[in-house]
Every structure is written in structure tokens, then in C-alpha cells.
Amino acid sequence: MAASDNSIDSAGPGVGAQYDGTHVYVAPADMAPFIASFIATFGGQSSKPATTTVTPTPSSASFAAVQTPVGLLSVFAFTTPIPYPFGAERTGYLVKDMDAAVDAAREAGADVIVAPFPDPIGRDAVIQWPGGINMQLYWHTAKPSSAPLATIPENRVYLSPMRTNVFMVEFLRFSKGRVVLDDDHAPGVEVGRPGETYRRVRIDSAFGKLTLLATDGHLPFPYGRELTGYEVADLTATLDKARAAGATVLVQPFRADGRDAAMVQFPGGYIAEIHSVSQR
């Protein structure tokens, strides 16, 4: 187990975790129930869904930005077929300068699988890291301004042991982040494998938190299907709110690494890890 003392480099391309959201794709009929359930669980508000083109080729989707104290969501409900490779990107990261960020990603070793293109309010691109991890970068013409989050969500990335070190080197080079913790013997209950161990790496950067889970891929459902982990003050109360709002608790609360955690599926299929700091 090792931790790094290096601080986050503000010279990196990221702006702040309050601008970095998980991309959630749902069927049109599921959009309103999903947003209502998520907000009832965590608090916050949503923009009014708007029909727009969010891809560089012709398409149509209803889009809503959901802001909560625990993280941002970009919710898409396509009414046309989804152009490749959209739908596979996990996050949207706000960058200070699109061209500089794309150049930095290339130099760090990422593949630019969708070159920068204009959208109604700025520009976007999609990059891919080793292990097939897709992330969208975005930039707004008008500089956005949002308050910091109550808690910072974690981007949960599952990789094979073979690709974990390569991903770490390249993502850290790009994000200017730091390794907070690297544990080769993390408790397997965290990935549905009680009594075993696996490698877990926690990274902080201006893009927020990122947790790498290096496994052999022998994962019971729903592990590996969640994109994001959300920290709350009271896990039991949050799960009660989620159930009342139509969500399903897929994995009942368990304790590991100083956390009480559970897995929840919201209307429309979005799966999230939810955790609180364990009471000592």
C-alpha cells in the first residue's frame, strides 16, 4: 500500500469536479422518471430537457443537465439511432482550452476517437485511454460558474491488471493529478468477491476523483456496470429515499476500507455505487 504526497497541479486541463458529469443514456420514456428519482435521492435540480444535436453527425436527442450536491449528470434520450462511438463515453470533463487539452491527451498516449466538433454552446471531443476507457472533453463558449460540490463523486474504472499501470501513467500525465492510495490487497467484497483481494488505486485531479479497480473480470452483477460512486452523509437514509423514489438496491450495504457502501439501480437502468464514511 502506498500513497503519494504530490499535490494536484492546477496547470492541468481540468477546471473543477463540479463541471465534470457522468453521461447517462436512457430511453425517452425513462428520462423523466430517472431524473425525478435521482433528484429525490440526492437533492438538486435539472434543466428542462431540450431537443438538440449533440453529435458531429445528424442525430436528435433530448438532453438535460442534472446538478446535485454529490455530482453532475448529463442525461441523453436519443430519438434517433446513436452515432458511433457515442453512448460508450462515461464522463464529460470540462477543459480550459479544447485544442490544448486534445493535444495534451494525445501526448499522454490517449487516442482521439472523435476529433473536436462544435455543439450549440461550445465544442466537444472524445478520447480513449488504454483498456478502452472513453471520456468526453467539452468546452463552453460562455464560461460556466458553479459552486463546489458537497462531496466529490468518483469515476469508477474497471481494468485488467495488464492495462492498469499504463492507464495510470497516461491519465496522470494528462490530468496532472496524484495517486492518493494504491492498495494491492483491497478487500474483494468491494467487487463482489468476499474473502479475496484485488488492486484498487485512488487518484485525485482537477477532474475530481477516479478509482481504478484492477480485476480478472470475474465479476458478479452489477459490479463493473456502475460508472460513478457517490458519497453521502447517511447511507441508510439515502437508500430509503432511493427506494421511495423507485430505485432498487442491488447490493445491500457492506463495510470495507472505512466505507459503508451499496449498489443502486435507478429507473431507466442507471447503476450507481453509493457510500458513506463508516462510523468508527
Side-chain angles (χ1 to χ4, degrees):
M1 184 184 298
S4 170
D5 294 327
N6 296 328
S7 60
I8 296 171
D9 187 344
S10 61
V15 178
Q18 67 267 40
Y19 303 106
D20 303 325
T22 303
H23 282 200
V24 180
Y25 286 73
V26 295
D30 292 327
M31 188 173 201
F34 165 68
I35 291 174
S37 178
F38 199 84
I39 289 175
T41 300
F42 296 110
Q45 60 188 1
S46 171
S47 65
K48 183 178 179 180
T51 300
T52 186
T53 299
V54 294
T55 60
T57 52
S59 67
S60 181
S62 184
F63 167 78
V66 178
Q67 294 180 308
T68 80
V70 299
L72 176 70
L73 298 180
S74 293
V75 185
F76 305 92
F78 274 78
T79 54
T80 61
I82 304 173
Y84 177 84
F86 294 89
E89 80 284 359
R90 54 189 303 115
T91 49
Y93 282 160
L94 179 65
V95 294
K96 300 169 186 172
D97 181 295
M98 177 59 73
D99 293 326
V102 168
D103 287 345
R106 284 196 183 101
E107 290 171 4
D111 190 8
V112 180
I113 59 175
V114 179
F117 64 95
D119 69 17
I121 56 175
R123 299 174 72 203
D124 305 271
V126 180
I127 59 177
Q128 185 177 81
W129 300 102
I133 305 301
N134 293 0
M135 298 176 177
Q136 184 158 347
L137 307 179
Y138 77 96
W139 172 86
H140 280 177
T141 304
K143 185 177 180 180
S145 178
S146 297
L149 300 170
T151 59
I152 298 175
E154 62 181 25
N155 185 350
R156 292 172 63 85
V157 176
Y158 286 76
L159 289 171
S160 71
M162 181 181 297
R163 306 305 287 167
T164 297
N165 285 343
V166 178
F167 177 95
M168 286 174 59
V169 169
E170 295 188 3
F171 184 77
L172 289 168
R173 185 181 300 155
F174 168 68
S175 66
K176 309 301 183 188
R178 62 188 178 95
V179 173
V180 176
L181 192 67
D182 187 344
D183 188 350
D184 280 326
H185 293 88
V189 66
E190 297 176 352
V191 291
R193 304 265 293 271
E196 302 180 32
T197 62
Y198 77 106
R199 183 184 180 191
R200 183 204 337 103
V201 182
R202 300 197 191 281
I203 292 172
D204 280 358
S205 76
F207 294 119
K209 297 179 180 180
L210 187 147
T211 295
L212 292 177
L213 303 103
T215 79
D216 58 10
H218 298 185
L219 301 170
F221 180 83
Y223 295 95
R225 294 298 183 185
E226 82 283 7
L227 300 179
T228 303
Y230 299 98
E231 182 180 342
V232 297
D234 186 327
L235 179 62
T236 300
T238 301
L239 295 181
D240 287 344
K241 291 178 183 178
R243 291 188 189 97
T248 302
V249 179
L250 300 176
V251 177
Q252 295 299 320
F254 62 90
R255 182 165 293 185
D257 189 41
R259 292 180 172 187
D260 292 312
M263 292 281 199
V264 174
Q265 185 171 46
F266 289 91
Y270 178 65
I271 297 172
E273 188 260 16
I274 305 175
H275 62 269
S276 61
V277 177
S278 301
Q279 295 298 316
R280 300 295 183 182

